[in-house]
């Protein structure tokens, strides 16, 4: 079926940025690799989604600060930045 307009670019992709940290039972501040707002991230500790403000804050945009130190574990702190995505635009910019 014919269409009107430009072809959709085949190289577009979008994925949320993620980071993992290791809890040690005493550290409460973890440095994120890009600036976010508190509302832009989902934080999980040991597979449990943490409540923003009650469990963590991001006071300066890059320091993830927990109200209590997360438990010990390798990769047990998982952060998904829902507003930070990676885009690959078509080179002809016709889309």
């Amino acid at each position: 079926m014919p269409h009107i307009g430009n072809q959709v670019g085949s190289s577009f992709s979008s994925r949320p940025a993620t980071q993992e940290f290791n809890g040690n039972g005493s550290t409460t501040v973890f440095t994120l690799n890009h600036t976010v707002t508190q509302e832009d991230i989902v934080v999980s500790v040991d597979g449990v989604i943490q409540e923003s403000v009650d469990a963590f804050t991001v006071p300066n945009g890059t320091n993830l600060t927990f109200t209590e130190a997360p438990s010990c574990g390798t990769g047990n702190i998982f952060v998904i930045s829902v507003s930070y995505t990676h885009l690959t635009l078509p080179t002809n910019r016709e889309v």
Side-chain angles (χ1 to χ4, degrees), residues 67-89:
T67 54
E68 294 182 23
S71 60
C72 294
T74 302
N76 66 324
I77 303 165
F78 193 74
V79 181
I80 301 172
S81 301
V82 294
S83 70
Y84 183 85
T85 57
H86 171 73
L87 303 177
T88 304
L89 299 177

Side-chain angles (χ1 to χ4, degrees), residues 20-41:
E20 288 185 28
F21 298 99
N22 302 324
N24 64 8
S26 62
T27 301
T28 57
V29 179
F30 299 85
T31 303
L32 300 170
N33 61 10
H34 62 277
T35 303
V36 298
T37 65
Q38 191 160 323
E39 295 79 22
D40 291 340
I41 60 174

